[in-house]
Amino acid sequence: MSQDKLLEVKNLSTVFNTIEGEIRAVDDISFTVHQGETVGIVGESGSGKSVTALSLMRLVPNPGKIISGNILYHSATNAHAVDLLQIPESEMRLHRGNEISMIFQEPMSSLNPVFRCGEQVAEVLWLHQKMGKQEARNKVLELFGKVQLGNPERIYAAYPHQLSGGQKQRVMIAMAMACQPKILIADEPTTALDVTVQKAILDLMNDLKKELNSAVLFISHDLGVIAEIADRVIVMFKGKIVEQGNVLDIFANPKHPYTRSLLACRPPLDQRLRRLPVVSDFMEVRQLKDGEIDIREKNGTLEQVVYPMRIPSFETKKRLLHLSEKPPILEVKGLKTWFSGKKNWLGQTTEYVKAVDDVSFEVYPGETLGLVGESGCGKTTLGRTILGLTKAQTGKVMYKGRSLLDMNDDQMKEIRQEMQIIFQDPYASLNPRMTIGSAIMEPMRVHKLYVTDEEREERALQLLDVVNLEPKYFHRYPHEFSGGQRQRVAIARALALNPKFIICDESVSALDVSVQAQVLNLLIDLREKYKFTYIFISHDLSVVKFMSDRMIVMNQGKIEEQGPADEIYENPKSAYTAQLIESIPKGNLDSIRERMKR
């Protein structure tokens, strides 16, 4: 790693003026980025990570503004460092996208839906490199090959909606690398991606960094991911840097309680816990009158926090035996859900997409059955087919001995009181024009639960308490909540009909690891309190292993293997399962040391 400084950030502060007063999103931070290194910035949503990145690019949206500091860029073309905050916008445009580039968090919102992907990448070369159209096209095809996009010609001509999440992210990486920037800022580039796709993208970014001898500023809420790619780590909390240092030092001996809590929040792979540690186990945060915060460290170390939560293996085996003593609550036999693929000129289907292809399994009362696999493996379609939200081609779905596929609409409406689903994106599943109180009360009205709205409101307030939300939130709208709070609202709504069986469809995949830990703990507490039965769907095997008694691994519509969650992790029988396990960011000292030797 070169010691040449590329970027020096000194006392940077960025604020947002709101009706509630001034919010310091970035509060007097300083750090340095050297040539050839990857610096990881980690913290929860709202910690100031993304605003830091936008500040470096001078792209802070209104009503935000940078109020102080220096951002010194050491350009190869200038003998002296350039302060990016002091130069005019016209000069900044020469650096932005050309020498300092950024991969944004959500590729679908960053790519223009009405232009082809290749043209959007070529536009960068037209603007910054003054290339002709054919030369730019050839360069883009070369870049698509470098980022390992199969069939570059097809990707060039494709629109964003025609690509998978991993493909769109690779297009964004190609766009960011088009001008061979000296500094690449990657803002959560792997959030909500499959672990296999995530690993491929991390390896790709590392290879490109070495090839161009550039520097990467990698932003993530997941210290496990940071461990896979970073040389140095910056930990942010409430707009401030609370700790920074070498990646090995941070993981081996974290000084700040917040860093220790982030390390502990991710579900461990080598043991089973009753609940996950959360930030409040390590520190107490109090808001002071002047807007500052007071952080009080709690006495617990990671070992002290984890030890009483550990579940011995004999207890896990005993629970599995106890669950299987009762008849299954759900039986799925030979289920097939196919969608039309290719059609001939008469409009007749000549080829099918076999989303669910001859799947059979049982779920026992009180059990959590994990469903894991990559995007497109059929997990979500299977969950929707069980609930009758997607029509099956053939097969049987028996709930308490009754065939769900043979029910009419009235019978299915009745059974849906017992069977609910928590969707992946709570913001998309909640009506933005409806208060959360109304959203929770709506299913009660549809199913004619309780006589009056007063009774329904009382029940909705009880449910808010169950999911640890204050009564004052009843009249607020979805946009006024964080991602974790919205997911709690979605859980409260699912509980409104007093269900017995709940399908959780990727319900924590896009949440911070700290918020994810809180939601997973809540789901386990609710299962124990109300004797729920869950099907827990996720692409993250570590999360599924923590939540599940038994696990099903799906691949291309079929079941690869199924069995006790701990057994599948410790001794996978399928090569596909072994690949999923291998792709999980380990985040341990041995893996960091091994990576740093390469």
Side-chain angles (χ1 to χ4, degrees):
M1 183 178 74
S2 170
Q3 290 305 306
D4 293 339
K5 289 180 183 177
L6 275 181
L7 196 71
E8 290 180 90
V9 177
K10 297 181 178 180
N11 308 111
L12 180 66
S13 293
T14 303
V15 302
F16 287 80
N17 292 307
T18 70
I19 55 173
E20 295 177 354
E22 184 181 88
I23 296 173
R24 283 193 169 244
V26 176
D27 191 3
D28 195 28
I29 68 169
S30 300
F31 63 90
T32 304
V33 180
H34 295 92
Q35 189 171 352
E37 75 169 344
T38 299
V39 177
I41 300 184
V42 70
E44 299 170 285
S45 293
S47 63
K49 310 183 303 292
S50 293
V51 178
T52 297
L54 293 171
S55 299
L56 299 182
M57 298 288 284
R58 275 181 45 179
L59 292 174
V60 179
N62 285 327
K65 63 178 180 179
I66 300 168
I67 59 168
S68 65
N70 304 98
I71 302 172
L72 303 178
Y73 171 55
H74 295 262
S75 169
T77 56
N78 288 303
H80 303 287
V82 176
D83 191 341
L84 299 180
L85 297 182
Q86 302 300 321
I87 59 177
E89 177 61 24
S90 57
E91 189 178 339
M92 183 65 197
R93 278 198 288 267
L94 299 176
H95 296 294
R96 188 194 299 130
N98 196 22
E99 294 180 308
I100 306 172
S101 195
M102 185 166 176
I103 304 168
F104 293 93
Q105 181 171 355
E106 177 45 64
M108 193 64 211
S109 60
S110 303
L111 291 169
N112 192 321
V114 301
F115 289 104
R116 299 180 192 275
C117 293
E119 292 169 352
Q120 296 188 56
V121 180
E123 185 181 20
V124 177
L125 297 168
W126 302 336
L127 288 172
H128 290 289
Q129 303 291 314
K130 309 302 180 189
M131 285 187 184
K133 290 206 170 184
Q134 188 57 47
E135 186 186 0
R137 177 188 171 84
N138 293 339
K139 179 67 175 176
V140 171
L141 293 174
E142 180 190 331
L143 284 166
F144 284 172
K146 273 189 178 179
V147 298
Q148 298 163 28
L149 279 166
N151 197 344
E153 292 278 0
R154 184 187 74 81
I155 301 294
Y156 191 100
Y159 291 95
H161 73 272
Q162 295 175 304
L163 305 183
S164 70
Q167 287 173 322
K168 285 195 285 277
Q169 197 61 279
R170 288 167 193 265
V171 169
M172 289 298 298
I173 292 172
M175 185 185 296
M177 303 302 293
C179 296
Q180 301 186 342
K182 300 310 293 179
I183 300 173
L184 176 64
I185 302 170
D187 185 9
E188 301 270 14
T190 61
T191 297
L193 293 180
D194 300 332
V195 286
T196 49
V197 177
Q198 173 178 271
K199 186 176 189 304
I201 284 177
L202 293 179
D203 290 344
L204 168 66
M205 290 182 63
N206 207 34
D207 291 342
L208 291 172
K209 180 194 76 173
K210 289 177 181 175
E211 182 183 329
L212 300 175
N213 194 26
S214 57
V216 176
L217 195 63
F218 192 96
I219 295 168
S220 179
H221 61 258
D222 189 343
L223 269 165
V225 173
I226 291 291
E228 295 287 304
I229 196 168
D231 301 303
R232 287 193 299 112
V233 182
I234 294 168
V235 183
M236 290 191 70
F237 178 70
K238 303 284 187 183
K240 291 181 178 291
I241 292 177
V242 295
E243 186 166 1
Q244 61 178 306
N246 177 280
V247 63
L248 197 56
D249 294 338
I250 293 289
F251 276 75
N253 187 27
K255 299 286 193 300
H256 198 276
Y258 181 65
T259 311
R260 293 202 290 273
S261 71
L262 289 182
L263 285 167
C265 284
R266 188 164 177 81
L269 292 167
D270 57 348
Q271 58 190 319
R272 183 172 279 273
L273 303 182
R274 299 180 197 281
R275 61 182 289 276
L276 289 170
V278 294
V279 172
S280 59
D281 292 327
F282 293 84
M283 56 189 276
E284 179 185 341
V285 182
R286 296 191 305 164
Q287 198 73 37
L288 303 179
K289 288 182 180 179
D290 60 1
E292 289 292 311
I293 54 170
D294 175 33
I295 297 173
R296 302 282 179 91
E297 183 173 359
K298 292 192 174 180
N299 293 325
T301 64
L302 176 57
E303 289 75 19
Q304 289 171 332
V305 170
V306 169
Y307 182 76
M309 303 178 194
R310 193 174 295 159
I311 302 175
S313 59
F314 76 85
E315 194 175 317
T316 302
K317 291 173 182 174
K318 184 179 176 182
R319 173 175 164 82
L320 282 168
L321 281 171
H322 176 70
L323 289 169
S324 61
E325 287 171 354
K326 300 174 185 175
I329 191 173
L330 182 80
E331 295 175 89
V332 176
K333 296 178 181 177
L335 188 65
K336 296 181 180 179
T337 307
W338 296 0
F339 300 108
S340 293
K342 291 182 181 177
K343 294 185 178 183
N344 61 20
W345 64 278
L346 292 172
Q348 298 167 326
T349 301
T350 58
E351 194 176 299
Y352 287 92
V353 176
K354 299 178 180 180
V356 177
D357 193 15
D358 196 20
V359 166
S360 301
F361 62 90
E362 301 86 30
V363 186
Y364 295 96
E367 176 182 38
T368 299
L369 179 72
L371 205 54
V372 70
E374 297 175 283
S375 296
C377 72
K379 309 183 301 291
T380 294
T381 302
L382 176 56
R384 292 178 64 87
T385 304
I386 289 169
L387 293 178
L389 301 174
T390 299
K391 190 175 180 183
Q393 196 88 359
T394 184
K396 287 187 176 180
V397 179
M398 308 293 290
Y399 177 74
K400 293 184 176 179
R402 301 172 66 186
S403 175
L404 298 185
L405 301 185
D406 296 328
M407 289 183 178
N408 60 35
D409 289 346
D410 289 337
Q411 291 171 318
M412 200 64 205
K413 182 179 176 181
E414 177 192 337
I415 211 80
R416 281 213 180 100
Q417 284 191 238
E418 287 196 28
M419 303 179 77
Q420 286 290 301
I421 185 167
I422 302 169
F423 293 101
Q424 178 173 357
D425 184 352
Y427 196 68
S429 60
L430 293 170
N431 188 329
R433 297 184 178 183
M434 190 179 283
T435 64
I436 65 159
S438 298
I440 296 169
M441 290 166 60
E442 185 183 30
M444 301 185 215
R445 292 194 187 105
V446 170
H447 288 271
K448 297 181 170 56
L449 283 189
Y450 308 103
V451 178
T452 65
D453 270 353
E454 284 75 16
E455 291 176 292
R456 296 182 188 110
E457 182 172 336
E458 185 180 344
R459 173 61 177 156
L461 289 167
Q462 287 174 358
L463 290 169
L464 285 178
D465 183 59
V466 166
V467 299
N468 301 319
L469 289 175
E470 296 179 41
K472 66 181 181 182
Y473 295 148
F474 185 89
H475 296 290
R476 293 190 183 179
Y477 290 88
H479 73 271
E480 298 179 80
F481 294 88
S482 69
Q485 288 173 321
R486 282 196 291 268
Q487 198 59 275
R488 289 169 187 270
V489 173
I491 293 170
R493 186 177 59 177
L495 299 181
L497 299 177
N498 305 312
K500 297 295 180 188
F501 184 95
I502 300 176
I503 294 177
C504 304
D505 184 11
E506 298 274 16
S507 49
V508 296
S509 64
L511 299 179
D512 296 339
V513 286
S514 54
V515 178
Q516 174 182 275
Q518 295 170 20
V519 173
L520 293 177
N521 288 339
L522 172 63
L523 289 171
I524 286 179
D525 292 343
L526 293 173
R527 183 186 69 187
E528 300 308 310
K529 184 176 181 179
Y530 296 108
K531 309 303 178 189
F532 289 144
T533 303
Y534 290 135
I535 288 181
F536 191 89
I537 299 171
S538 179
H539 63 260
D540 188 336
L541 199 142
S542 61
V543 169
V544 172
K545 179 180 176 292
F546 168 73
M547 282 295 295
S548 307
D549 299 297
R550 289 186 304 123
M551 186 191 301
I552 289 175
V553 181
M554 285 190 73
N555 182 24
Q556 297 183 346
K558 292 183 178 290
I559 291 177
E560 282 276 337
E561 62 179 302
Q562 57 180 308
D566 291 350
E567 277 184 28
I568 286 181
Y569 174 73
E570 289 164 12
N571 186 27
K573 295 180 175 62
S574 159
Y576 175 75
T577 309
Q579 183 189 4
L580 284 181
I581 293 168
E582 180 60 31
S583 299
I584 300 169
K586 303 298 185 291
N588 57 43
L589 297 179
D590 289 341
S591 65
I592 294 171
R593 288 191 187 102
E594 184 62 32
R595 176 176 66 82
M596 297 185 84
K597 284 178 188 174
R598 295 183 213 138

